[in-house]
Every structure is written in structure tokens, then in C-alpha cells.
Amino acid sequence: MVMGEIGIVFYDGHCRLCSRSVRWVIRNDRSKRFTYSALPAPGRSGLDGKNEAAACTVNRTGEVDSVLLFLDGRWYERSSAVLQIALRLRFPWPLLGLFYIVPRFLRDALYNLVARNRKRWFGEHEACFIS
């Protein structure tokens, strides 16, 4: 388990899968290593390109498409963000860090498949649960 750092998890607050995942992380983050922020969605909250976190996770269709983690001065996205979060949760979740042996392009390919289909598969919320 990695100690000390407090990370900020940025996620799509209108995505049901993303919101459920954040709730799950909150339940498993007993040491309170993370804070959470829903990314502003283009067209919903006036994203104007000035928000660095949101700007780097918006895809070409204008949808938020990645979880982001800001931790210890570094940005993590996609599968790397998920694994960095898992490393800081209670046992047994840090064992997911073993997936770092899988090349990032393969991990991110699976992540991208889910990200592209998440709203179709899991639905959307009209409002973020932490708004």
C-alpha cells in the first residue's frame, strides 16, 4: 500500500458507471486518500477549454471519456488512473496493481472499449451525486 499522498479523482458525474465506481472507491478508501470532483461536461456546464483536467479527457465528440487522477504532482488517466486508485485502497484491491505488467496500450484498449459504451450499457444521470 502506498502511503501519504492525497489524490483528486476527476470523473464523469453524469455517467452511472462512473458515479457507481466513485461510490465504491469512497466505501473502500478507509484511509481517506482521495477527494472527488465531477468533470464539467461540455454543453452542460459551460466548459470553455480553461479547465485542464476536463480538456484532456474530452473526446472528439465532446464527451468526457476518461477518469483522471491527480496525485503527487502527476496526472494519470484511463487504466493507469484506475490502477493507481486501486493501489491505495484496502486489501485486496492493491493486488490489481499486478495488471501493471500488462502493457498500457492493451490495458487502455479495454478501458476505451468500456468508456465508449458505458452510457449505452449503464445509462446516465441528469445530475451528479456530489453536485
Side-chain angles (χ1 to χ4, degrees), residues 7-24:
I8 305 169
V9 177
F10 296 92
Y11 70 100
D12 180 354
H14 295 277
C15 164
R16 282 200 172 137
L17 174 63
C18 306
S19 295
R20 287 178 189 164
S21 298
V22 166
R23 287 182 181 139
W24 180 86

Side-chain angles (χ1 to χ4, degrees), residues 39-97:
L39 289 166
R44 288 195 182 181
S45 60
L47 179 64
D48 60 6
K50 294 179 184 172
N51 184 325
E52 179 182 356
C56 66
T57 137
V58 173
N59 66 21
R60 65 183 173 275
T61 63
E63 291 288 319
V64 175
D65 72 347
S66 176
V67 64
L68 284 175
L69 173 64
F70 185 72
L71 179 69
D72 199 26
R74 291 188 60 194
W75 287 100
Y76 298 91
E77 65 177 344
R78 304 186 188 291
S79 65
S80 295
V82 171
L83 294 177
Q84 285 293 321
I85 292 166
L87 285 171
R88 288 158 177 81
L89 299 177
R90 65 185 170 99
F91 186 80
W93 305 114
L95 295 175
L96 290 175

